[in-house]
Structures are given as structure tokens and as C-alpha cells.
Amino acid sequence: MADIIQLLPDNIANQIAAGEVIQRPASAVKELLENAVDAGATEIRLYVQDAGKALIQVTDNGKGMSETDARMAFERHATSKISRIDDLFHIRTMGFRGEALASIAAVSQVEIKTKRAEDTSGTFIEIDNSIVRKQEPIAANTGTRISMKNLFFNVPARRNFLKSNAAELRHIVDEFIRVAMAFPNIFFSLESNGQQMLYLEKSSLKQRIVQILGNSYAAKLIPVQEQTDYLNIRGFAGKPETAKKTRGDQYFFVNNRFIRSAYLNHAVMRAFEDLIPKDSFPMYCLFIDLDPTQLDINVHPTKQEIKFEDEKIVYAFVQSAVKHALAQFSIAPTLDFELDPGIQSLEAVSKPVSREAEQAAASSGLYESFTRKNQAHFIESRSNLTNWREVYERTNPEVLTDQVKGSETETREGELPNIPLKLVQIFNNYILWPKTDGYLLIHQQNAHERILYEKFLAALDGKSLPSQQNLFPVLLELAPADYVLLEELIPDLKKVGYELEPFGPNCFAIKGSPSDLPAGVEKKLMEELLEDLKHSGLELRISVREKMIRSLAMQQAVKTGKVLSNEEMQEITETLFTCEIPNSTPLGKPTYTVVKKSELDKLFGR
Ligand code: ADP
Ligand code: MG
């Protein structure tokens, strides 16, 4: 008898493998969008026909491919993203298995047009059933366009398995949204059968959420943000009143990858406990960023599940981050790791409140002063304006000068109008801004802390702040432990404008300081920073970097009692409302409050 085992031809092997990766049009959409993201695109367009059954086309302006790479990309296990097994634990890209394009080419008819910026001409390749039909140079823009036609044309059994167009399109939209949500700084568009379904301009995360989930969330998103050495959590949760009867608008991303996790969902539900009815679901869109070595993303072929090295820690962080966010926005007193332990043990703080208790309490002045003083919960109706434009748009035209009215129409989207606001300083402490339906009261010091904090945060992120060379370097002599503590921060301090150089044993020379800092205060600031770093023991879970910028923001902020010029008031007001989280200081103190005219009228019996 002859031997009977034979190697499968490539196209059949690919077809079998494709079953894992491409189950339906939406899976191909996800892979193609992720490839475009990995290629560094800033604009990504998806076009589908017949819910992707006839055509899925993704066009990006990313880095494109060389002629050889374009051909290689369709081989199984061909990837530019990992080369060693160790790389698996440092994945920063969305893809890494090198299977998607090979799978797609095995079950559809593919055309690709791609060009790199450095090449004069691009490459066109036509493949069907894993066989290259055509390859030729072509004129093209930088980037890549992949069109896949007639999905499963050669696997009729799978084609028959597809659901109705409506159902398949729904899946496509879901996948599209998950990618678009994670990358708000990328423009995305989705067209189906010639109709524009989604058109998402580059934006902040908050705006992206509203673009996708609708305007009803516009003033109803609570920022969630905690940074620690181990992981960061950022994103938004919907105010309790936006909770819905159906589980829908709930998104978790880990290192920008959408995941499903009943376990982490539970953590959020716990944070919302007592704030929403039992059978309803809060909106959330939370990003967990952590060191990829703490993850195993390789557990599921379509990668929607994830294994954390330490799942319990992540659970605890998610729960406390959301609780903390809700507390800051006045929704519920809660156990809060930033509070003094003495305060934490008070029953009023540690015990979750019921709806009624919350309402009763909110109307009592005692409660208000207690919570304000100790917890920075602030009463909601006072500060539900979260973005400057909203604030601006409500400004009374009458309080604007004529010049203002003239230039109003020229105000471009997302840009602050270059007009003097009418502002008044009171008690050398507050900036008062009259509006149509009331007035805004901005706490100058708190507001400035928020502004500086976000400026420093951006600086650590890469936008380094200008530094001014000191004519005579100031010497900073320290205890050995302090020296070590500060030494670790030298690179980060440089980004926010301080240049420190070791100068003999346990001594630094301060060679430069932020250019907007008055001369002569740098030494004192560094000493205060050290004190803060050493004495914020309660906030152990917050990273040293985070502590550093919080501390610098507090030190450098204009203080209560300082008389401000018109320009200074203008600057603070405008900049505050361009902040990502304008409502509170990094430590959760309110930055401004809105007093409604209707509330005043009520006071006067009108
Ligand atoms: P993976 O994304 O896991 O690496 P794929 O099969 O999706 O595998 O893609 C294979 C390779 O093709 C990628 O590693 C990348 O180098 C290249 N590639 C795919 N899509 C694009 C694109 N839109 N732009 C540039 N390169 C791409
Ligand atoms: Mg890929």
C-alpha cells in the first residue's frame, strides 16, 4: 500500500486557517481597520457593499508597503510586528499573528494598491483563492487600499451561513465603533452601499464618544482617571441617569484593544451599586493601559478576551477608579484612598447612600459644606457644564462687546474665539463670568492647578516645556535619600522645564528652570516638591511622576489673594475650558461653579 499522508496545498491550508480568523464580514473589517491603525494612518475609510458580502474596502494614509512586502503580506505567518517569541509579551500593535491577510486572500478576491512615501510608484496586486493573478506597478497615493470582494465565494457552506444583510452590517458597525473609539485622534469614515453611516472627525475621546453614542451623553460623561505605577485607567462613565435597561454602551479597552470581560464589568457595576436601579446598565468607556508583560493577549484567536497577570488588582483598580470618579462628581460618598483615614472611617463617608438619602442630603447645606470641605463632591446642578464651547455658547450676547459680535461668526470649530471675555475678580480669589442664564464663578487657584497639571501631563507625554538657563546655577544640597529620590525624576523634570545636574556628592546644580517661573524660586520649589513626594504616603498607589506633576501644579499655581490682571483672568478662563477635565483639580477640588439665574430668581421669590 502506498503512504497516504500528504501536505495540504497552501490555498486549502489557508482556507482552513481562515475559519479561525474570518468568520463573517465583520471579522475582516476588524482586521483591515487594525492593520491601517498599525500602519500609522491618520485617516481611515471603510466602504462596504451588501453588508460586506460583496465588497469590503479599507483605504488608509498609513505608511504603505514596498513591492516585496505587499506580496509577502499575504503569506501565512507573515508579519512585520514580531520576530521572536519574546516579542509576544511586548505587543504594542493591534495585529501580530500574521494571519489576517493570508486568511482574507484564501476566502475572497482581493485587490491591493499600496505605496510608501519614499517610492515613486506603488504596487497593485490581485489575488484570489490565495493565487496571485496580477502584480504591477501603479500610480498611487501614499498608503494602502485593500478591497476584498465576494467573501466566501469559494466556500459556499460558509457563505450560506452568513446572516441577513441587516445583521451582518450591525456586526460591521460594532467592530468599526470599537476601533474608532480607541483611536479618537484618527479620522474614520464608514460608508455602506453609497450611504455615509459614520463620519468621525479627529477629536478628543470625550467628543468621539459623543460622535458615536450620540448627543444625549454630551453633558453626562464623568471622567475617570487614575494613574499608578502598575496601570492607568482613563475614560468616561455615564452619569447614573443615563443608565439603560439594555446592556449596550459598555466598552473596555486594554492597551487600546477592545475586550470583553464579565469580571471587570462586575467591578464597574459594583461602583454604580445603589446609584442605579438593579436591572439597568451604566454607560462606560474605559481604557486600561498597562505594561504588556502583565498580559497574555494570545488566548483567543479573535483576541476579545484577555488574561491579566493579576486580575484581582485590575478589578480593584477599576472599581475604585469609577467610584472615585462618581464621588468627585457628587454622585456618592465613597471609600476613597485619597482621603485621610480619619475621614474614611466616618460612617457618612464609608456607607453607600440610597437614592433618597442622596437627594435629601444634597439639599442640606450641612451636607454640602461637609462634602465640599472633605471630599470635593460638588453638587451637580452647579457644574454640569463641562466644555468651554458649551459655556461660551451660553454667554449672553449683551455682555459681549461690539467687536465680539463682529468676530463671532469667524470662530472656527474647536478654536477659542480671540475676544476679551467680560470678567471680574472678586475677593482676590474668584473670577466672575456673567452669562445669559446666570454666572460662572471660577476659583483662580484651583483652576490654575488644573491648567498647570494638564500642561505638565502633556509635557511628560512629549511636548516638553521651554526651560530658561540660570545665569548662576543654584546648588541644591540634599540628604542622600532625597538625592536618590530626585535623581530618578531628572528626565521627567527636564520635560517640565527644570534642568538638574549632579554636582558633587548629594548635590544638584539647578541649571535651568521653566521660562515662565519668576527667578529665584526654583530651589524652594524643588525642596517643596521633595517634601510632597515624601509625605504623600496615603497615595502610595499613585506613581512618583504623577505625584511630581500634582505637586508642581499646586506650587506654581497663582494663589488665592493674588490680584489678577484682565489678561490673566482671560487666560485662566479660556485655558480652563480647553482642559480635558476642567471641573476639578487633580486632587478633586472643584474649579468652578455655575450659579443659575433661575436659582437667584427663586431666592427673591420671582
Ligand atoms: P499582522 O497584522 O498580524 O502582522 P496581517 O496579515 O494583518 O498580519 O498583515 C501582514 C503584514 O502586512 C503586517 O505585519 C504589515 O506589515 C503589512 N500590512 C498589512 N496591512 C497594512 C496596511 N494597511 N498598511 C501597511 N502595511 C500593512
Ligand atoms: Mg493585522
Side-chain angles (χ1 to χ4, degrees), residues 31-32 34-39 60 62-65 69 72-75 78-82 94-102 112 114 143-146 303:
E31 295 295 338
L32 294 176
E34 290 187 347
N35 279 349
V37 169
D38 285 344
D60 69 56
K63 66 181 178 205
M65 284 179 262
D69 282 350
M72 261 303 273
F74 291 92
E75 297 293 331
T79 178
S80 55
K81 298 166 194 172
I82 57 173
M94 304 299 285
F96 58 88
R97 291 167 165 259
E99 290 176 331
L101 291 187
I112 180 172
T114 186
T144 303
R145 162 176 290 186
I146 297 189
K303 292 167 275 177

Side-chain angles (χ1 to χ4, degrees), residues 340-357:
D340 183 296
I343 297 171
Q344 281 195 19
S345 61
L346 289 178
E347 201 189 25
V349 178
S350 58
K351 209 178 65 187
V353 281
S354 68
R355 261 259 146 110
E356 296 87 315

Side-chain angles (χ1 to χ4, degrees), residues 4-18 75-76 102 106 129-131:
I4 52 171
I5 299 180
Q6 45 179 309
L7 272 176
L8 289 173
D10 269 0
N11 59 333
I12 299 186
N14 282 344
Q15 250 180 42
I16 295 170
E75 297 293 331
R76 198 139 50 98
N129 208 0
S130 299
I131 297 160

